[in-house]
Amino acid sequence: MPQRPFSAAVRVNASFWLLVLLAAIVSPLTVVAALLTAATLHELGHLAVMRYYGVSVKRFRLTALGAELDAPALARLPYGRELIITLAGVTVNLFCAILLALLGLRTWREWCFVFAGAHLVLAAFNLLPVVPLDGARALCLALSFFLGPATGERITAAVSLACSLALCALGLKLSLGLHSGWLFAFAAFGLLWGTLRQLGLARGAKSV
């Protein structure tokens, strides 16, 4: 019988609480609640599919860039199954966004559109080809399937670093021209830090 994937040690990084605090300062509470709900459902999407495939999680670490799941068993899965797990969170966000948007159109309740927007923003963010986001892992899996793991890791690392630097440059430009541009710059440099921290990790160390 496979181990339960939810019996993991849970850690919350200080960067997560800093992100929540900044969001609460600059955004309405409804927006903060929408983003936290979308993030929670995103991670539950990953965990639900991991449970379906019998993959257990040893450590669950929550950071400003999302959840880092230490699940060595993922390395033993076929590329197709790992790709399904990787994209499960984004799929849940897109599904919820569609349902909430339809509910909003039917009832004309503003909160429906706020929550739908949060799901869309989180899905788009996670699809960026930047380590440690889902988009980079999906790209690496696809490239590894066709070109081999070593080549897939190298190409993904190069794409991730290039995108991170481009986002940082855009963040600096926005911070000089827009009052709230520093928030984008903060997120961009956070992504760059996450990329530099995780580049070169073995295939057995996973973050989803």
Side-chain angles (χ1 to χ4, degrees):
M1 181 180 296
Q3 296 179 355
R4 291 182 301 157
F6 300 103
S7 59
V10 178
R11 298 288 185 273
V12 181
N13 189 273
S15 62
F16 172 78
W17 297 118
L18 177 60
L19 179 65
V20 172
L21 177 61
L22 288 174
I25 292 173
V26 302
S27 303
L29 290 180
T30 303
V31 174
V32 177
L35 289 173
L36 290 176
T37 301
T40 300
L41 291 175
H42 177 98
E43 299 306 333
L44 287 177
H46 287 305
L47 291 171
V49 181
M50 290 173 74
R51 177 167 186 153
Y52 178 79
Y53 287 128
V55 177
S56 61
V57 178
K58 287 187 175 181
R59 181 176 59 89
F60 185 96
R61 183 168 179 262
L62 198 58
T63 73
L65 297 179
E68 297 178 357
L69 307 181
D70 182 12
L74 279 176
R76 298 191 291 271
L77 291 179
Y79 284 117
R81 289 189 177 185
E82 189 177 342
L83 183 62
I84 292 173
I85 291 173
T86 299
L87 296 178
V90 170
T91 302
V92 169
N93 288 139
L94 293 175
F95 180 74
C96 290
I98 292 173
L99 287 182
L100 287 165
L102 291 175
L103 179 62
L105 290 174
R106 186 179 181 86
T107 63
W108 291 106
R109 293 182 178 177
E110 183 180 356
W111 67 266
C112 292
F113 297 108
V114 174
F115 276 70
H119 279 282
L120 286 177
V121 168
L122 191 64
F125 175 75
N126 273 280
L127 285 176
L128 290 173
V130 178
V131 175
L133 301 180
D134 296 335
R137 189 62 205 161
L139 174 64
C140 185
L141 289 170
L143 292 173
S144 297
F145 178 79
F146 290 105
L147 304 176
T151 302
E153 293 281 354
R154 286 197 299 270
I155 295 177
T156 302
V159 171
S160 178
L161 186 57
C163 289
S164 296
L165 292 173
L167 288 171
C168 287
L170 179 59
L172 288 175
K173 183 177 180 180
L174 290 176
S175 64
L176 295 175
L178 296 175
H179 177 68
S180 59
W182 64 272
L183 286 174
F184 186 93
F186 176 81
F189 278 97
L191 276 179
L192 178 60
W193 179 83
T195 297
L196 295 175
R197 187 172 67 88
Q198 294 205 19
L199 283 182
L201 292 181
R203 187 170 180 260
K206 305 295 182 185
S207 296
V208 291

